[in-house]
Amino acid sequence: MELQAVLMAAGGGSRMMDLTYNTRKPLLPVGNKPLIWYPLNLLERVGFEEVIVITTKEVQKMISTDPKMKLDVKMKLDIVCIQEDADMGTADALRHIQQKIKTDILVVSCDLITDAALHEVVDLFRAHNATLSMLMSKAHEFTETVPGQKGKKKTGEQRDFVGVDGTGKRLLFMANEADLDKGLVIRKSIMRKLPRMHIKTGLVDAHLYCLKKSVVDFLADNKSVSSIRGELVPYLVRKQFSKSMTSPNVNDEADQKLKKKDGNANLEIQILSRDEVLLQLTRERSCWNDHRGDMSEAYHGVRLRCYVHIMDEGMCYRVNTLAAYIEANRLAPKLFDEPAVHPSAAISVRCLIGADSIIGASCQISDKASIKRSMIGASTTVREKVKVTNSIIMHGVTIEEGCNIQGSVICSNTVIGRGADIKYCLVGSAQRIEPEGAFWKTPSRLSCAFY
Amino acid sequence: MSSRGGKQKKGNVTSEQEEEEQPLQAVLVADSFNRRFFPISKDQPRALLPLGNVAMIDYTLEFLTSTGVQETFVFCCWMSNKIKDHLLKSKWCRPTSPNVVHIITSDLYRSLGDVLRDVDAKNLVRNDFILVYGDVVSNIDVSQALQEHRHRRKVDKNISVMTMVFKESSPGHKSRCEEDDVIVAMDSKSKRFSMGTDEFEIRHDLLDCHISICSPQVAELFTDNFDYQTRNDFVRGILVNEEILGNQIHLYVTQDGYGARVSNLQMYDSVSSDMVRRWVYPLTPEANFTDQQGQGCTHSRHNVYRGAEVSLGHGSQMEENVLIGRDTSIGANCHISNSVIGNNCTIGDNVVLDRAHMWNNVHISSNVEIHQSVVCDGAVVKEAVHLNKQCVLAYNVVIGPNLSLPDGTVVSMHHPEEEEEDDDDEFLSDDQEVGHSKDKTRQKAFNPAEVGPEGKGYIWKASMNDTEDEELAQCLWGLVLNPDPESDSESEASEESQDRTFQLEVLGTLQRGLEENIVCDNLVLEINSLKYAYNITLKEVMQILTRVVLEYPFQQQGTQLTTLQYTGSLLPLLKTWSPVFKNYIKRAQDHLDCLSAVEELFLEQDTHQTAMVKVLMKMYQLEILEEEAILKWFSTGATNDKSRQLRKNQGKQRMSLQRKESEEDESSEEGE
């Protein structure tokens, strides 16, 4: 086994609390499948047979019991539960499962929906014997109106500056705008080694990482690192060019033992990808080099290397905000070719269902209903003369006659009274909307009123 | 440009095309405005120094002519007569020359800025022009860059003011000048100097050829802003004010071609060897592009060039990359490699030359060895002299016999002090008027230890009275820059120093408070404002304050204090400043922090550990520290062996004192 896959599915979805109040993030329905299905499917497609899923007890219970959450994957899922209230970061979680990790790992976040060619990332990892390789994509503009938000919200998040080398593969630099109070500082020693650096902004980190096993061992020794994205990745990127990583005597066995004794020093050493002897020899004998110009050896003797694959096209979403959730719902059906209407759904002949809508299992759609560009979850009942446009209706919702729902998100088990008019709203789960109620896009979070 | 002819025939001549019809102009600055080539350039302006036996300015003019320049303004300042004479004799001033050369001289030019302001004042340029120095050697075809520049100016009216020509060359390439190590942030698509767009590129693999294509506005902008002295000032000014003035600077990057400015001897050495190795083709030594009589030479394999009438003694070898000028005779059994030898030189027997640059009329006696050195016109090297690396023998110097010059020796007929006398007018140019002080020079005797028994010349040293920025300029061979230390903890270091400055400030405040008898409340105010100024947390304030106060006696009376003296001077201080302490030490945690700061200090000052009890006692009496806090601190585990020992030593005495004072039996029992 070359790579072990690890799926991080314990996140709370803190940036879309409205949705995750009742349903945990990994179980949010996207295109009538739980969100967690997408990364699992991604892994299955590329041929993984086993995945370690790190999640909470609650999610595990739901997955194993609730038929609606059934994951139709053939892979063997090794589910590891962590305490929900332990406030563990992703790196903490990796440390937690260190015993299980025997090889290099591929870490995926549960909120990733992408059609990226995973082999690109893994190939970089293989070809350069990298310590880290990751996936990034151009950021997408969200086009849909977000319920409960007034106007188009500017993405308040700060930009990330990502520096790659001339080929666009090697990751040299990473900084957040927030940390750049003194302007962009790049060390000249890096510039001397790799004289061309492209600085890019407007990229989304897909939170998909290939990591060497030694990195996990490093995490085990270094308890202060708690998040992969926040701490580990910037640390690795920075470490590429620090002196201890390039000094030639690190492969000196005696030296290594010495360093192991004095506490902190060994933490850095262990993260080194120890090139095998043969590999080293190959590199020495080969005329191949990763750079031009100076006459130094390939990679300038840097033993810790980080690479990034930046997707030019294709879709890559991280469902961590409401806007992304809506966007993902709109695009997800394109990812898999299953019938838009589930065979078990009972659909009246005289209703109108747009081609871009999905209808879940055992739904009931009555006469003269019109459904466009929407997702209807399992066991949902839609009565006569209901119009649903641009909306997400989760499981077990009942929509009474003559309702008009537009651009909204209706969470599970809600009952919407007859003739209600709901536009650009977010309705929480298990609510009852009074008949003839009219809810228009309100400045405040309308959904909160229903909890 | 390409469609020029066709359109004209159609009679479709717009005003813009008319502009293009005007001859391409160039401004050549034949003065370096610095002293990097001193003392060589005391006798000859830099532009006329021979490189591959051809004056440097000829390369520049040939480059300009070959790119299609039809009118060149040569600006010279000092030694303008020499440059003028040279140009008038050269092919550029023949009536057949395709490039009309105008020579403009003035003693008033002090910088590139002055030259361009004069260009503006005299209204010399009418269109885009090429700005270049008289020491640029290049074969880059700038017509492509020119076309791009014109296109940009046509598309966005007059936004782009300058296009700088860069050549790709990786860091560490020998034609890169260490002092001119540029890092460029550019927009890869529009080839513009910029940062801040979504995507840009930072490049360190570019070599500034010092060739720039300028719009006529450049001259005006120099006139508008008298702060612009050099091109760097200008570029910086334009980029900083880009948003206000809307001017942009673009760059043109070429992969092939050669372009370099001979800005110091290191560059001279590398450009000269590149020339011999034919990197600047078609400007090669045998091409005789200056079209002068007798300059021709033959080119044979291993890049060996021989001028006319060269005689080579028996057993002498010209290994590779050797250029020998006409009428030069070389003795027997010489080894010559990677060297340039000028006209009319005589070289004795058994001479070894490697990377030597010998100009005209040089006499080398037998058994001489020269490595990577420059020997100027008329110099004489007597027998058995050994020139180590980076030596310079300026004009008419005589060296030897039987002498070895150490690395980097510069020998000149000019006495170094001579320069100081000339410095009075603060005229910082290469091309400075040399006072006719020959009589004076003669009076000073040559030092045989320096130049040999028959030697003539003075060791040239960097003059001592120069200001710090001149330090760079004195080194003929350019800088040897140390690579920046690759530290990981840059930010930590700066934080550390913040703490340090804060500590000094607090010390100053307290000192002043003591001297001027300032009320403690005001001291607190001052410390508080310092806290905000240096962004120090409350905890750190307390620790630093404690530290400063406890170190105060050492500060004032030196570290040789006995423990008794120390406590004697410290205890009254504690009393005076107790309100300050009380202001900062309020919560239980504060007490502990304060105690740990005290502990830390006494761990460092281990000779005074016994004083700690007294200090704590005093602090307790002054009600700075509460008893419970002290006891708690004492009972909590010590962080390391040393502190444990300290506590052990102190513990018993302290406890007994405590008992006497506090008269509370139960608390002392707790402590035990």
Side-chain angles (χ1 to χ4, degrees):
Chain A
M1 192 163 50
E2 188 196 357
L3 282 169
Q4 276 177 293
V6 178
L7 181 65
M8 297 285 179
S14 54
R15 280 188 280 184
M16 40 193 224
M17 287 308 273
D18 298 334
L19 287 174
T20 54
Y21 190 84
N22 280 64
T23 319
R24 294 290 120 194
K25 183 161 91 165
L27 303 176
L28 277 178
V30 174
N32 272 342
K33 288 180 187 298
L35 183 52
I36 193 173
W37 179 83
Y38 290 89
L40 285 175
N41 180 255
L42 177 75
L43 294 172
E44 197 176 50
R45 277 205 310 264
V46 294
F48 279 97
E49 289 171 351
E50 207 179 324
V51 183
I52 303 172
V53 181
I54 299 178
T55 188
T56 55
K57 281 235 163 55
E58 194 187 340
V59 174
Q60 189 203 12
K61 210 176 112 201
M62 292 288 273
I63 290 176
S64 50
T65 55
D66 198 330
K68 282 195 293 259
M69 301 297 171
K70 209 177 106 265
L71 303 166
D72 48 348
V73 285
K74 296 178 191 74
M75 287 185 295
K76 188 176 159 230
L77 300 186
D78 179 2
I79 297 181
V80 178
C81 293
I82 57 169
Q83 292 284 318
E84 194 165 352
D85 49 0
D87 194 29
M88 279 169 104
T90 40
D92 295 322
L94 272 188
R95 199 175 295 135
H96 186 72
I97 58 159
Q98 194 218 351
Q99 300 305 324
K100 288 178 184 282
I101 291 173
K102 303 282 183 283
T103 64
D104 301 339
I105 52 169
L106 176 77
V107 181
V108 191
S109 165
C110 77
D111 53 8
L112 175 68
I113 298 185
T114 181
D115 59 355
L118 262 195
H119 69 86
E120 301 262 19
V121 182
V122 180
D123 281 352
L124 280 177
F125 189 70
R126 291 170 177 151
H128 299 282
N129 197 11
T131 304
L132 161 79
S133 74
M134 58 195 288
L135 177 70
M136 284 194 180
S137 160
K138 293 232 162 67
H140 298 275
E141 287 277 309
F142 296 125
T143 46
E144 301 287 298
T145 330
V146 178
Q149 269 175 19
K150 201 178 185 183
K152 270 208 173 156
K153 208 172 93 184
K154 261 267 180 240
T155 39
E157 280 173 63
Q158 265 145 334
R159 296 188 295 171
D160 268 326
F161 287 88
V162 176
V164 292
D165 72 345
T167 60
K169 297 290 184 205
R170 179 97 182 262
L171 185 57
L172 305 177
F173 178 79
M174 217 171 185
N176 192 277
E177 200 166 31
D179 306 330
L180 299 174
D181 49 341
K182 289 182 206 126
L184 214 60
V185 180
I186 295 167
R187 254 194 266 131
K188 199 172 173 186
S189 56
I190 304 180
M191 292 310 293
R192 195 165 294 143
K193 284 174 192 148
L194 296 143
R196 291 183 78 160
M197 190 190 288
H198 289 272
I199 305 282
K200 298 184 182 215
T201 57
L203 293 179
V204 193
D205 182 357
H207 287 224
L208 184 145
Y209 310 101
C210 278
L211 293 169
K212 275 255 183 288
K213 179 173 187 295
S214 57
V215 176
V216 184
D217 298 339
F218 162 78
L219 282 178
D221 292 335
N222 212 340
K223 301 259 187 320
S224 64
V225 179
S226 81
S227 137
I228 294 181
R229 177 63 175 87
E231 295 159 64
L232 181 66
V233 171
Y235 175 80
L236 291 176
V237 171
R238 224 170 36 240
K239 265 281 167 261
Q240 288 185 91
F241 300 99
S242 70
K243 207 150 214 162
S244 58
M245 291 298 127
T246 49
S247 63
N249 57 1
V250 282
N251 42 17
D252 203 324
E253 214 46 56
D255 192 49
Q256 180 105 12
K257 274 180 195 154
L258 244 176
K259 282 194 173 171
K260 273 198 171 163
K261 277 174 192 159
D262 47 52
N264 255 341
N266 71 328
L267 299 181
E268 293 176 3
I269 303 300
Q270 288 197 351
I271 207 163
L272 280 180
S273 55
R274 312 255 313 144
D275 293 350
E276 291 151 48
V277 183
L278 275 178
L279 210 60
Q280 189 94 31
L281 197 64
T282 325
R283 198 165 294 147
E284 272 167 29
R285 301 277 162 90
S286 157
C287 61
W288 178 84
N289 206 328
D290 72 319
H291 62 273
R292 306 171 48 190
D294 55 11
M295 303 297 286
S296 57
E297 57 180 317
Y299 306 117
H300 297 91
V302 173
R303 303 161 66 85
L304 193 163
R305 298 179 285 271
C306 299
Y307 285 83
V308 60
H309 174 65
I310 297 172
M311 292 169 67
D312 287 325
E313 48 199 17
M315 64 182 280
C316 177
Y317 287 99
R318 287 203 60 225
V319 182
N320 53 5
T321 59
L322 189 53
Y325 176 69
I326 291 167
E327 192 77 9
N329 258 301
R330 202 166 58 78
L331 292 168
K334 293 174 191 163
L335 265 183
F336 52 94
D337 37 277
E338 278 178 34
V341 178
H342 198 274
S344 66
I347 296 190
S348 153
V349 197
R350 292 172 61 199
C351 70
L352 190 76
I353 293 175
D356 42 8
S357 297
I358 330 169
I359 311 294
S362 28
C363 278
Q364 288 186 355
I365 313 272
S366 309
D367 286 351
K368 290 183 186 164
S370 147
I371 293 165
K372 285 177 195 157
R373 297 188 73 207
S374 297
M375 182 203 97
I376 310 286
S379 318
T380 290
T381 313
V382 177
R383 294 273 151 76
E384 284 87 1
K385 290 181 195 161
V386 170
K387 274 174 87 175
V388 180
T389 332
N390 269 339
S391 295
I392 299 163
I393 316 284
M394 295 190 192
H395 307 299
V397 177
T398 308
I399 303 172
E400 301 280 1
E401 284 162 46
C403 284
N404 187 5
I405 297 171
Q406 192 183 341
S408 299
V409 178
I410 314 283
C411 294
S412 313
N413 302 324
T414 293
V415 178
I416 295 179
R418 156 203 307 256
D421 191 3
I422 296 175
K423 280 185 183 161
Y424 303 107
C425 288
L426 192 150
V427 181
S429 63
Q431 301 301 318
R432 279 199 79 84
I433 303 267
E434 296 300 312
E436 307 295 339
F439 296 95
W440 298 68
K441 183 177 176 179
T442 43
S444 63
R445 293 264 171 79
L446 187 133
S447 59
C448 302
F450 293 92
Y451 287 133
Chain B
M1 279 251 300
S2 53
S3 63
R4 192 202 299 162
K7 279 191 180 172
Q8 233 181 343
K9 270 171 205 160
K10 286 173 199 162
N12 227 354
V13 188
T14 64
S15 62
E16 274 174 25
Q17 276 165 336
E18 248 176 287
E19 255 176 52
E20 281 180 15
E21 280 305 305
Q22 289 178 349
L24 179 60
Q25 295 171 307
V27 170
L28 191 156
V29 184
D31 198 327
S32 58
F33 306 114
N34 65 34
R35 294 179 162 201
R36 296 307 306 275
F37 273 70
F38 256 32
I40 301 173
S41 55
K42 276 200 156 200
D43 297 298
Q44 189 88 318
R46 191 194 290 184
L48 294 188
L49 300 183
L51 189 134
N53 293 341
V54 175
M56 289 201 269
I57 196 169
D58 288 328
Y59 289 101
T60 316
L61 282 166
E62 179 67 26
F63 154 72
L64 289 174
T65 311
S66 66
T67 54
V69 173
Q70 287 165 295
E71 195 176 10
T72 306
F73 300 98
V74 178
F75 287 82
C76 355
C77 182
W78 174 71
M79 288 223 167
S80 49
N81 290 337
K82 281 198 174 184
I83 298 176
K84 207 168 177 174
D85 287 349
H86 174 86
L87 289 178
L88 288 174
K89 270 189 276 173
S90 73
K91 74 169 184 176
W92 314 111
C93 289
R94 291 178 201 160
T96 51
S97 168
N99 184 0
V100 183
V101 174
H102 304 278
I103 303 162
I104 297 164
T105 61
S106 164
D107 288 342
L108 297 174
Y109 301 140
R110 294 284 186 282
S111 67
L112 177 72
D114 291 335
V115 169
L116 284 171
R117 280 186 272 276
D118 201 39
V119 168
D120 188 42
K122 292 188 171 132
N123 211 1
L124 294 174
V125 293
R126 297 172 295 278
N127 204 342
D128 296 341
F129 62 95
I130 297 175
L131 176 67
V132 75
Y133 282 98
D135 45 15
V136 169
V137 176
S138 169
N139 63 358
I140 295 171
D141 184 8
V142 293
S143 57
Q144 176 74 22
L146 204 64
Q147 214 167 322
E148 283 177 19
H149 179 78
R150 284 179 177 155
H151 177 72
R152 272 195 287 270
R153 285 174 55 73
K154 213 185 271 181
V155 173
D156 307 311
K157 263 286 177 235
N158 298 341
I159 281 184
S160 174
V161 289
M162 193 190 256
T163 300
M164 293 164 76
V165 177
F166 285 87
K167 179 181 146 20
E168 258 181 31
S169 85
S170 303
H173 192 276
K174 69 184 168 71
S175 69
R176 276 180 81 99
C177 179
E178 283 284 1
E179 295 147 44
D180 207 13
D181 212 20
V182 283
I183 293 183
V184 171
M186 66 181 279
D187 187 334
S188 341
K189 285 195 196 90
S190 65
K191 290 184 180 157
R192 187 161 67 88
F193 273 106
S194 73
M195 278 181 87
T197 44
D198 263 4
E199 201 178 322
F200 56 91
E201 198 177 350
I202 297 177
R203 297 187 66 164
H204 187 230
D205 62 341
L206 295 181
L207 178 127
D208 187 356
C209 300
H210 289 273
I211 300 165
S212 14
I213 299 164
C214 305
S215 312
Q217 288 127 288
V218 170
E220 293 162 25
L221 286 165
F222 267 96
T223 311
D224 291 345
N225 193 336
F226 272 88
D227 290 341
Y228 293 160
Q229 290 299 318
T230 63
R231 197 183 59 153
N232 277 352
D233 293 342
F234 173 77
V235 171
R236 232 167 261 142
I238 292 290
L239 292 181
V240 167
N241 297 322
E242 188 182 316
E243 278 168 21
I244 305 166
L245 299 172
N247 291 323
Q248 295 176 348
I249 296 181
H250 289 80
L251 33 74
Y252 173 78
V253 178
T254 171
Q255 266 105 359
D256 39 37
Y258 187 89
R261 183 176 174 209
V262 182
S263 50
N264 56 31
L265 273 189
Q266 192 84 57
M267 287 299 287
Y268 179 86
D269 183 36
S270 41
V271 172
S272 176
S273 63
D274 286 341
M275 168 72 57
V276 172
R277 289 178 173 87
R278 306 177 77 78
W279 285 105
V280 206
Y281 186 85
L283 303 183
T284 50
E286 87 277 14
N288 190 19
F289 61 87
T290 51
D291 200 21
Q292 272 170 342
Q293 284 274 306
Q295 266 292 17
C297 56
T298 58
H299 175 219
S300 43
R301 64 183 184 151
H302 304 310
N303 289 332
V304 173
Y305 305 84
R306 285 166 162 224
E309 308 292 327
V310 169
S311 71
L312 193 63
H314 181 75
S316 282
Q317 279 182 6
M318 296 191 282
E319 277 158 20
E320 52 174 359
N321 306 315
V322 177
L323 167 60
I324 300 179
R326 65 169 188 276
D327 299 325
T328 288
S329 64
I330 297 171
N333 297 319
C334 294
H335 283 266
I336 303 173
S337 57
N338 306 311
S339 298
V340 175
I341 301 172
N343 302 329
N344 294 315
C345 294
T346 48
I347 293 175
D349 300 336
N350 300 317
V351 172
V352 176
L353 301 179
D354 183 43
R355 295 179 74 183
H357 302 276
M358 288 161 52
W359 298 354
N360 301 328
N361 306 315
V362 174
H363 290 267
I364 307 272
S365 306
S366 301
N367 303 317
V368 170
E369 226 175 285
I370 298 180
H371 297 281
Q372 202 192 350
S373 296
V374 174
V375 183
C376 298
D377 286 6
V380 177
V381 181
K382 304 252 176 186
E383 286 212 359
V385 169
H386 193 111
L387 293 191
N388 280 309
K389 280 182 178 172
Q390 308 200 332
C391 285
V392 175
L393 304 184
Y395 291 91
N396 304 318
V397 162
V398 181
I399 290 286
N402 300 318
L403 190 71
S404 172
L405 290 184
D407 283 12
T409 313
V410 180
V411 185
S412 163
M413 289 307 281
H414 298 285
H415 198 273
E417 282 167 26
E418 197 182 292
E419 191 207 3
E420 281 170 38
E421 286 148 27
D422 296 338
D423 264 348
D424 296 340
D425 57 352
E426 292 183 357
F427 187 178
L428 285 179
S429 166
D430 238 4
D431 314 317
Q432 178 191 19
E433 192 72 50
V434 180
H436 295 286
S437 49
K438 288 209 168 157
D439 311 331
K440 203 165 44 178
T441 321
R442 289 269 154 72
Q443 288 160 10
K444 291 167 189 158
F446 303 119
N447 183 355
E450 285 173 353
V451 294
E454 296 165 31
K456 288 178 189 169
Y458 305 99
I459 298 280
W460 180 269
K461 290 189 190 81
S463 57
M464 318 80 197
N465 64 338
D466 267 318
T467 48
E468 64 272 26
D469 62 335
E470 286 302 303
E471 221 166 274
L472 296 175
Q474 291 304 329
C475 180
L476 269 166
W477 286 93
L479 298 169
V480 182
L481 293 173
N482 301 321
D484 53 341
E486 303 183 42
S487 68
D488 285 325
S489 51
E490 308 130 358
S491 53
E492 284 167 34
S494 73
E495 255 167 52
E496 199 92 299
S497 68
Q498 279 242 314
D499 282 4
R500 184 79 204 142
T501 41
F502 178 75
Q503 190 174 336
L504 290 176
E505 292 272 3
V506 170
L507 178 67
T509 309
L510 290 180
Q511 218 163 343
R512 209 156 29 80
L514 207 64
E515 283 160 14
E516 298 171 19
N517 223 350
I518 298 173
V519 194
C520 282
D521 284 350
N522 292 351
L523 287 178
V524 169
L525 273 180
E526 276 194 46
I527 293 174
N528 275 344
S529 63
L530 286 172
K531 167 180 175 292
Y532 290 116
Y534 290 98
N535 193 17
I536 304 280
T537 62
L538 203 59
K539 184 180 164 187
E540 284 169 323
V541 170
M542 194 164 51
Q543 285 172 340
I544 290 171
L545 180 72
T546 315
R547 199 179 181 88
V548 167
V549 171
L550 293 185
E551 278 179 349
Y552 197 83
F554 297 123
Q555 285 280 347
Q556 299 301 309
Q557 299 163 37
T559 46
Q560 264 68 46
L561 283 178
T562 63
T563 312
L564 212 61
Q565 281 170 321
Y566 172 72
T567 44
S569 55
L570 181 69
L571 295 183
L573 289 175
L574 279 176
K575 195 170 161 62
T576 340
W577 287 327
S578 63
V580 182
F581 276 102
K582 279 179 194 160
N583 182 65
Y584 288 107
I585 302 172
K586 283 177 181 145
R587 295 167 301 150
Q589 186 59 41
D590 299 342
H591 289 269
L592 289 180
D593 289 339
C594 177
L595 278 165
S596 67
V598 173
E599 181 185 26
E600 200 179 309
L601 184 108
F602 279 102
L603 278 175
E604 282 169 30
Q605 305 279 353
D606 42 4
T607 48
H608 297 297
Q609 284 184 356
T610 42
M612 185 175 175
V613 189
K614 286 187 180 150
V615 171
L616 289 181
M617 204 59 236
K618 190 75 187 170
M619 286 175 105
Y620 169 70
Q621 283 168 350
L622 292 167
E623 294 177 350
I624 298 170
L625 294 173
E626 281 171 17
E627 185 182 0
E628 288 104 73
I630 300 179
L631 292 171
K632 193 175 171 202
W633 164 75
F634 183 72
S635 55
T636 48
T639 41
N640 57 39
D641 293 346
K642 239 180 136 186
S643 64
R644 196 171 300 136
Q645 204 180 351
L646 173 70
R647 287 181 197 192
K648 208 173 165 187
N649 292 341
Q650 304 304 308
K652 278 178 189 151
Q653 301 173 35
R654 194 165 50 79
M655 279 308 128
S656 58
L657 279 168
Q658 198 94 55
R659 209 173 281 147
K660 270 184 234 159
E661 293 292 326
S662 64
E663 297 174 4
E664 280 179 35
D665 295 318
E666 31 168 72
S667 63
S668 56
E669 273 163 24
E670 262 175 47
E672 305 271 345

